[in-house]
Structures are given as structure tokens and as C-alpha cells.
Amino acid sequence: MPRERGETVVATNRRARHEYTIEKTYEAGLVLTGTEVKSLRQGRANISDGYAYINGGEAFLDAVHIPEYSQGHWTNHASKRVRKLLLHKDEIIKLSHAVSAGGYTLVPLKLYFSDGRAKVEIAVAKGKREYEKRQTIREREDKREAERAMRSRNRLGE
């Protein structure tokens, strides 16, 4: 029985949803040291530069910054080290096929605690071109404007 219940988000990668088209997401566990877990529990992490890759049938997370634990000493961890991801074998095979097909990459979207265990949500993503980013922003603004018009129309009708 876990001591903690629910989900506590530590870090999100908001830039990834702007830079990439998300195809499919996976939840993966992380292999961490003690001071990394303590630093994450303080809510300190940066995953915006991070990426995942498959090597030798194993998945790894690289360039994710988890700062050193403030009360740690010589046992502190390196802040930007490669961390192993815990995934099922069939998930790793699916991810490696998607990446090797070309045009896709693995990006972390969210780092969080689920029932006391550190998890990362990784996505199979395809990079957007500049015009696709502008189109996404335009669609979002058009949707907001339409909602505003509907709200004002409903207020006038009352």
C-alpha cells in the first residue's frame, strides 16, 4: 500500500506541444538515486531540453536537469546525467520502430509522482515546421474569439 495517493506534477514541457505534433504517449518509470528523488520532491526539475532514445534494447532519458539536493553532500548526483527509463519490452520495440522509421523523436512531456513513484510521460512526436506552428496558433486564437462571441451573444439574449 503506497503512502502517497494520486499524482503530483513536478515539471511539464510546455514547449514540446508547440514544437512537435504528438502522436502517442507512454508512461515510463525512472531509475533514480536517493538525492534525485529528494530534489524532485522539492519540485525542482527542468525537462524542456530533454529527449529519450533507445540503445541496446533499453530506453534512456538524457539532458533532463534535476538540480543537486540542497542538503546532500558527497553522495549528491550529477544534475544532467543519463537516466534509464522503465518500460515493457513491447513498448520499447514499438518506440524503436517509430524512431527508426524516420521523422519521429521521443520527447518527455511531464515528470510527476504517481502513488509515490517517479514517472515520466514520453511521447512519440514529429517536429512541426514554422508554418504549422503559426497555423496552430491561428486556430487556437480563432477558437477563443468564437467562444467570446458566443458568450457575448448569450449575454445579450438574456
Side-chain angles (χ1 to χ4, degrees):
M1 186 70 99
R3 283 180 278 172
E4 297 178 30
R5 285 271 180 222
E7 189 175 290
T8 307
V9 177
V10 177
T12 56
N13 189 354
R14 293 178 51 182
R15 198 176 84 191
R17 296 199 186 271
H18 177 70
E19 300 281 331
Y20 299 98
T21 302
I22 308 300
E23 300 289 327
K24 186 161 169 93
T25 60
Y26 294 91
E27 180 183 65
L30 279 166
V31 177
L32 300 172
T33 62
T35 55
E36 286 176 319
V37 175
K38 290 181 178 188
S39 185
L40 285 176
R41 290 207 187 277
Q42 289 180 340
R44 302 170 62 208
N46 183 1
I47 62 172
S48 62
D49 296 332
Y51 63 95
Y53 63 92
I54 310 291
N55 188 9
E58 295 180 327
F60 296 96
L61 187 64
D62 199 5
V64 170
H65 182 73
I66 299 175
E68 290 185 351
Y69 182 55
S70 57
Q71 281 103 21
H73 43 83
W74 61 272
T75 59
N76 248 337
H77 62 279
S79 61
K80 274 197 175 183
R81 70 177 187 88
V82 178
R83 294 166 180 90
K84 187 175 177 181
L85 293 175
L86 303 173
L87 289 160
H88 290 284
K89 198 67 166 177
D90 60 327
E91 291 176 332
I92 292 174
I93 291 169
K94 286 178 189 174
L95 290 172
S96 66
H97 286 315
V99 171
S100 64
Y104 290 99
T105 186
L106 303 175
V107 293
L109 297 178
K110 182 168 64 168
L111 185 61
Y112 59 97
F113 284 100
S114 176
D115 292 337
R117 298 180 191 271
K119 305 280 185 182
V120 64
E121 184 178 84
I122 59 171
V124 177
K126 190 176 198 110
K128 284 185 183 177
R129 294 202 168 86
E130 200 62 38
Y131 67 88
E132 292 173 324
K133 293 177 193 176
R134 285 193 298 265
Q135 183 180 357
T136 304
I137 292 169
R138 193 176 307 117
E139 287 171 358
R140 186 173 56 228
E141 288 174 355
D142 289 345
K143 184 179 174 188
R144 282 186 193 149
E145 196 172 305
E147 288 174 357
R148 271 192 221 114
M150 291 299 288
R151 272 198 305 265
S152 65
R153 182 184 234 185
N154 287 342
R155 285 187 198 136
L156 293 175
E158 291 177 356

